[in-house]
Amino acid sequence: RSSTERSRLAIRTYLKMILLSLVNHCSENKNGLAALHRQQDAVARLAAIFQHVQEHYSEPIRVSDAARMCAASTCRFMNLFKEVTGQSFVAYLNRFRVAKAKDLLANTNRTIAEISLEAGFCNQSYFGAIFRRITDQTPLNYRLQCTRAPSGESFKSL
């Protein structure tokens, strides 16, 4: 009889442990799901500024204006933007503009000064500094690298 009681107690204990494990597992998944929903909400809230950057990258875009577009305070916007993208808004904007400038450098004959203004930089000097910081090369070196023919091809036309 005592072995039966111990067996019942052991079974009850194991069932409680299983139930507790299930509750913990569901709780973790619920927290993960809640975090995913928060992340999706943050991305949706920032959608307006991503669209605005895409369409108006060549114009001045202040952090305060970006925050207003997302219906957030400047501080909240900066935190939210960094949480979603992993970088500050200014860093994101500079990277976006440099990517546009790289395309123009590789595919047009416009001057570097023209490209810097078209990409949204206030002057060529600032553009050069940001371009170097992001790409580890000057805009001119990037252009030359893009226009160089692969080795051996330059002699084929001779």
Side-chain angles (χ1 to χ4, degrees):
R1 182 152 164 60
S2 72
S3 68
T4 306
E5 285 296 320
R6 273 186 272 156
S7 296
R8 284 185 187 158
L9 185 58
I11 290 171
R12 256 195 208 149
T13 303
Y14 289 131
L15 287 174
K16 285 180 183 179
M17 289 171 59
I18 291 169
L19 184 59
L20 184 60
S21 291
L22 276 170
V23 167
N24 286 337
H25 178 72
C26 290
S27 165
E28 288 171 11
N29 284 340
K30 188 176 180 180
N31 290 340
L33 193 56
L36 176 63
H37 287 304
R38 281 192 306 275
Q39 184 74 4
Q40 288 172 334
D41 290 345
V43 170
R45 190 167 183 186
L46 294 174
I49 193 59
F50 289 128
Q51 185 67 33
H52 185 77
V53 168
Q54 182 79 31
E55 295 170 359
H56 302 279
Y57 65 89
S58 63
E59 302 167 14
I61 304 172
R62 294 188 317 236
V63 174
S64 58
D65 295 333
R68 199 172 308 110
M69 283 180 212
C70 298
S73 70
T74 302
C75 185
R76 176 66 184 129
F77 169 75
M78 291 187 307
N79 288 334
L80 187 64
F81 198 89
K82 184 142 191 170
E83 181 183 314
V84 169
T85 65
Q87 57 189 330
S88 72
F89 176 70
V90 173
Y92 174 86
L93 184 59
N94 282 337
R95 287 183 180 282
F96 190 92
R97 287 174 170 168
V98 165
K100 293 294 184 179
K102 285 170 74 174
D103 182 52
L104 292 169
L105 287 164
N107 298 307
T108 71
N109 289 326
R110 293 187 193 121
T111 67
I112 292 173
E114 291 171 330
I115 289 172
S116 70
L117 292 175
E118 189 172 333
F121 292 94
C122 57
N123 62 53
Q124 185 177 346
S125 177
Y126 182 66
F127 167 65
I130 297 299
F131 194 95
R132 273 190 303 278
R133 186 181 310 145
I134 291 172
T135 66
D136 288 330
Q137 58 186 329
T138 66
L140 180 59
N141 285 343
Y142 179 81
R143 173 174 267 169
L144 292 173
Q145 178 185 342
C146 291
T147 57
R148 267 190 220 127
S151 61
E153 280 192 26
S154 57
F155 295 108
K156 289 181 180 177
S157 61
L158 294 177

